[in-house]
């Protein structure tokens, strides 16, 4: 699912606040429209933070959070934002033909996406191009980063929902040391290291991510 203003989802109306509470209300309305009650939820980065909040609110049957945002120090957040800004505006400066040609070569993919992926040269060109195109054309980019400056994006525990937190060992956007902070806050969470993966492990190791999600949502974890 694309959040409003990301991917192919239209953005929110200008008067609607861009914050986690809005995201929760929006997702709750989507679940209702789909006739889905307490689904298993999986989220990555900002989506990982939202998935944890869904679990905390009793709206999820289980939570799998891949490198969830919000467990940073102020200095780490500033670094993360600097990398996102550099990638966002750097990619936008490239003419579309040059962008497509560069993404098609492994060395250029490494330069363009080295901070995002742990194995950028091995990632298929088309998914990489799609991810970068999304970063180029995200109406919610600035508003989302502004909302992320709010302190205490996640506090408390998730005592009654199975939680899996998976983190790439080569994550250069949200360093894997942040996983320990998330685990300290959610003591019963299962912490899964993703060897060799960067911040977007779905492209670095898709089979490993699929296995991690399947294991997190199997019936034994729900007991």
């Amino acid at each position: 699912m694309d959040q409003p203003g990301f991917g192919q989802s239209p953005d929110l109306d200008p008067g609607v606040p861009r914050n986690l509470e809005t995201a929760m209300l929006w997702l709750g309305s989507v679940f209702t429209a789909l006739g889905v009650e307490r689904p298993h939820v999986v989220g990555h980065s900002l989506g990982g933070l939202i998935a944890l909040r869904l679990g905390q609110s009793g709206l999820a049957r289980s939570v799998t959070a891949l490198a969830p945002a919000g467990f940073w120090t102020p200095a780490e957040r500033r670094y993360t934002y600097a990398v996102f800004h550099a990638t966002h505006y750097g990619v936008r400066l490239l003419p579309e033909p040059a962008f497509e040609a560069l993404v098609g070569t492994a060395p250029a993919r490494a330069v363009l996406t080295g901070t995002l992926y742990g194995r950028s040269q091995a990632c298929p060109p088309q998914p990489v191009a799609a991810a970068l195109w999304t970063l180029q054309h995200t109406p919610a980019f600035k508003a989302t980063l502004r909302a992320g400056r709010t302190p205490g994006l996640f506090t408390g525990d998730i005592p009654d929902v199975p939680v899996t937190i998976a983190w790439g060992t080569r994550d250069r956007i949200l360093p894997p040391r942040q996983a320990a902070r998330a685990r300290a806050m959610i003591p019963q969470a299962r912490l899964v290291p993703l060897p060799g993966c960067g911040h977007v492990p779905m492209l670095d190791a898709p089979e490993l991510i699929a296995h991690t999600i399947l294991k997190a949502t199997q019936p034994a974890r729900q007991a």
Side-chain angles (χ1 to χ4, degrees):
M1 290 172 56
D2 294 327
Q3 289 286 315
F6 289 86
Q8 297 185 35
S9 291
D11 201 3
L12 298 167
D13 291 333
V16 178
R18 173 77 59 179
N19 54 34
L20 285 169
E21 287 67 30
T22 297
M24 302 289 288
L25 289 171
W26 182 82
L27 283 164
S29 68
V30 171
F31 294 165
T32 300
L34 294 175
V36 175
E37 184 177 352
R38 296 189 68 231
H40 299 283
V41 296
V42 182
H44 164 247
S45 198
L46 169 61
L49 171 61
I50 293 172
L52 291 172
R53 292 285 296 264
L54 287 169
Q56 196 174 48
S57 300
L59 295 176
R61 192 173 305 275
S62 73
V63 174
T64 305
L66 308 175
F71 297 96
W72 45 41
T73 65
E76 288 170 344
R77 184 194 63 75
R78 289 192 294 271
Y79 161 78
T80 297
Y81 277 31
V83 173
F84 276 139
H85 277 291
T87 305
H88 175 70
Y89 292 108
V91 170
R92 292 188 72 176
L93 291 174
L94 288 172
E96 189 167 343
F99 169 74
E100 292 179 354
L102 285 170
V103 171
T105 67
R109 282 201 304 281
V111 172
L112 288 170
T113 64
T115 55
L116 295 176
Y117 306 112
R119 305 164 181 163
S120 55
Q121 290 178 301
C123 291
Q126 289 184 336
V128 170
L132 292 176
W133 185 92
T134 298
L135 189 60
Q136 279 182 298
H137 302 85
T138 299
F141 180 79
K142 292 181 180 179
T144 298
L145 291 187
R146 282 196 299 271
R149 294 190 176 97
T150 304
L153 292 172
F154 185 90
T155 57
D157 193 5
I158 310 178
D160 302 319
V161 176
V163 175
T164 297
I165 298 172
W167 221 293
T169 60
R170 298 180 63 186
D171 192 331
R172 299 180 182 92
I173 301 292
L174 299 177
R177 60 179 173 269
Q178 296 179 14
R181 298 173 197 153
R183 174 68 180 278
M185 197 169 289
I186 311 169
Q188 90 287 0
R190 186 170 66 99
L191 191 59
V192 179
L194 303 172
C197 291
H199 185 60
V200 188
M202 300 83 73
L203 286 185
D204 278 325
E207 291 186 2
L208 174 60
I209 299 306
H211 174 76
T212 300
I213 294 169
L214 289 171
K215 187 172 182 179
T217 55
Q218 64 186 5
R221 284 280 291 162
Q222 315 311 312

